[in-house]
Structure formats: C-alpha cells, structure tokens
C-alpha cells in the first residue's frame, strides 16, 4: 500500500514554456500532498504543501505565481512550472501522507531539464 | 545551526560490517523521526520510523532514538553492496525536515 505515482518521469522543454507534473496517490486518499525540489548533491527542499480543495501553502522563497499547485481531488495534485528557465532544471518529487499519519510516501520523481 | 544535521560522508564500510549513521536535530518538540534511503537518481524510500526513546528493529535495520540528547541513529547490520545509497534523516516539526544525507558505500 501507500503508493504514489508521478507523471511524467522525465521532461525536457524550451525556456519560456510551462510544464505540468502530476502526482497521484494510487491506493489511498491524500488530503495533503507535498512538493519537493532536489538539486544535485543536495537534500530535499520543501516547496509547498498542497491541500485538497484549498490553496497551497508555499515555503519562504518559493514563488507561488511561478509554481502553480492544484489539488482538485483526494488523489491528484499537480505542479505547473510556468515560464520555465534553465535554473528551474531540477528533480521534483511529491509525497503524501497515508491514513492521516505523519509518514510521507514519495513518488518516483520528475526530472525537469529546461534548455 | 541547521535543524537536522548529518555527516555527509562518504561512509565506507566493508561488506558484512555494521554501518552506523547518525543524526542530530535542534527542535526538542519533534515527535516523529524517519530514515529514508535514496539511491542515486531515485526518490527517497522509507526504511524506518521511530517515535519513542529506545531501539526499533526491522530486519537488518535498527533505529535508535534519544530525545534527551536530540539524537537518532540507524544501524545496518551485515551491510551489503546494495545498501550503498544516501541515507536521509527526517524529523517532523509541523513539516518534515530533512538532513543533508549521509552517503554510504559498502565495499565487496
């Protein structure tokens, strides 16, 4: 149980375009999902907490107008990187709590490369 | 002071040895503690969670928690080359806070 999927796993795009990443909880409902970003040789950095049916909570320094989060159902959250630039190239990982507990289960991640 | 601190390593141990990974945290109010394993290019995978002082064993893995010392550790017995990965300590304080990870290398 507690399986989280992400799509796509890899995306390459041109600078200035927008990219949407989907995060799904496959066998449980998740009222809260989390979006992380990880640069090479660094740890995970929480970008935002996605709440079903309400606005996401962004961490300090994360531009909410650039990283749009939508959590329209109990099994799906999306992250849209708007007007992507090369510095947005990173490994984006989502996670979710199963059963309301504190344990977070991670999706496989999406590697974004902006040319 | 970082909220969750780990030695970045790399920690190198021979196959079959015990690998010891350490983590300290700054928030005394933290209640839940986790160890994740992350292979290169992959997302983190949960290994252990621990909530109470003492030891918790799961197969070859033992997590140890000492809240008074604000210290949590992970022991890996009979280390295997497949255990070579980065191990992330994570602590909840309203949100999950990760250490920078310790890179473990198990040599055959």
């Amino acid at each position: 149980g507690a399986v989280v999927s992400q799509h796509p796993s890899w995306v390459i795009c041109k600078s200035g375009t927008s990219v949407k990443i989907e995060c799904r909880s496959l066998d449980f409902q998740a009222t809260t999902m989390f979006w992380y970003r990880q640069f090479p040789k660094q740890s995970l950095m929480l970008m935002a907490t996605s709440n079903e049916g309400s606005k996401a909570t962004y961490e300090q320094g994360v531009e909410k107008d650039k990283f749009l989060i939508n959590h329209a159902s109990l099994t799906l959250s999306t992250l849209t990187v708007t007007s992507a630039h090369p510095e947005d190239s990173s490994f984006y990982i989502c996670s979710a709590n199963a059963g309301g507990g504190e344990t977070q289960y991670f999706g496989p991640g999406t590697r974004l490369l902006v040319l | 002071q970082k909220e969750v601190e780990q030695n970045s390593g790399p920690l190198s141990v021979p196959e079959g040895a015990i690998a010891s990974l350490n983590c300290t945290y700054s928030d005394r109010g933290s209640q839940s503690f986790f160890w994740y394993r992350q292979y290169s290019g992959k997302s983190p995978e949960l290994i252990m969670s621990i909530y109470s002082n003492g030891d918790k064993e799961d197969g070859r893995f033992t997590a140890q928690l000492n809240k008074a010392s604000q210290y949590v550790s992970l022991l890996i017995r009979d280390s295997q080359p497949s255990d070579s990965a980065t191990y992330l300590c994570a602590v909840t304080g309203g949100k999950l806070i990760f250490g920078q990870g310790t890179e473990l290398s198990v040599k055959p």
Side-chain angles (χ1 to χ4, degrees):
Chain A
V3 179
V4 177
S5 70
Q6 274 183 251
H7 178 80
S9 56
W10 262 102
V11 59
I12 301 173
C13 68
K14 293 182 179 180
S15 184
T17 61
S18 294
V19 174
K20 179 185 283 188
I21 302 170
E22 292 186 349
C23 178
R24 293 181 184 273
S25 55
L26 296 186
D27 52 0
F28 65 98
Q29 293 184 330
T31 55
T32 303
M33 291 183 172
F34 305 88
W35 286 97
Y36 293 85
R37 180 168 54 182
Q38 186 177 37
F39 292 107
K41 299 295 184 183
Q42 295 186 23
S43 191
L44 281 75
M45 290 185 58
L46 180 65
M47 298 176 66
T49 301
S50 171
N51 304 297
E52 188 267 335
S54 64
K55 292 183 178 180
T57 303
Y58 291 82
E59 295 299 302
Q60 189 174 7
V62 177
E63 300 175 58
K64 63 180 181 180
D65 294 330
K66 181 171 181 63
F67 299 99
L68 301 179
I69 291 173
N70 184 278
H71 194 156
S73 78
L74 288 172
T75 60
L76 174 63
S77 176
T78 61
L79 169 69
T80 301
V81 184
T82 62
S83 186
H85 289 95
E87 58 265 30
D88 298 322
S89 299
S90 188
F91 191 37
Y92 292 86
I93 313 171
C94 72
S95 71
N97 298 120
E102 289 189 297
T103 302
Q104 289 188 25
Y105 296 91
F106 286 85
T110 297
R111 201 163 295 280
L112 171 64
L113 176 61
V114 184
L115 301 177
Chain B
Q1 182 187 4
K2 291 183 181 178
E3 295 180 82
V4 180
E5 292 206 48
Q6 298 179 251
N7 288 328
S8 59
L11 173 65
S12 183
V13 300
E15 184 175 355
I18 296 175
S20 177
L21 304 163
N22 304 314
C23 172
T24 58
Y25 59 94
S26 60
D27 184 359
R28 284 195 171 275
S30 299
Q31 295 294 319
S32 306
F33 308 85
F34 305 90
W35 283 100
Y36 287 86
R37 176 175 62 197
Q38 186 174 25
Y39 291 112
S40 181
K42 303 293 185 182
S43 68
E45 170 191 12
L46 179 68
I47 298 176
M48 295 278 288
S49 59
I50 186 166
Y51 307 99
S52 304
N53 280 328
D55 295 358
K56 179 181 178 182
E57 186 174 318
D58 184 0
R60 296 186 295 112
F61 300 95
T62 299
Q64 300 174 318
L65 175 61
N66 184 325
K67 290 187 178 181
S69 300
Q70 296 173 246
Y71 174 91
V72 59
S73 66
L74 180 71
L75 300 178
I76 307 174
R77 290 181 299 280
D78 188 24
S79 295
Q80 301 297 309
S82 59
D83 294 326
S84 298
T86 296
Y87 289 80
L88 300 168
C89 171
V91 175
T92 55
K95 59 186 178 184
L96 200 58
I97 302 169
F98 285 89
Q100 71 269 37
T102 297
E103 184 182 346
L104 172 66
S105 176
V106 181
K107 304 294 186 184

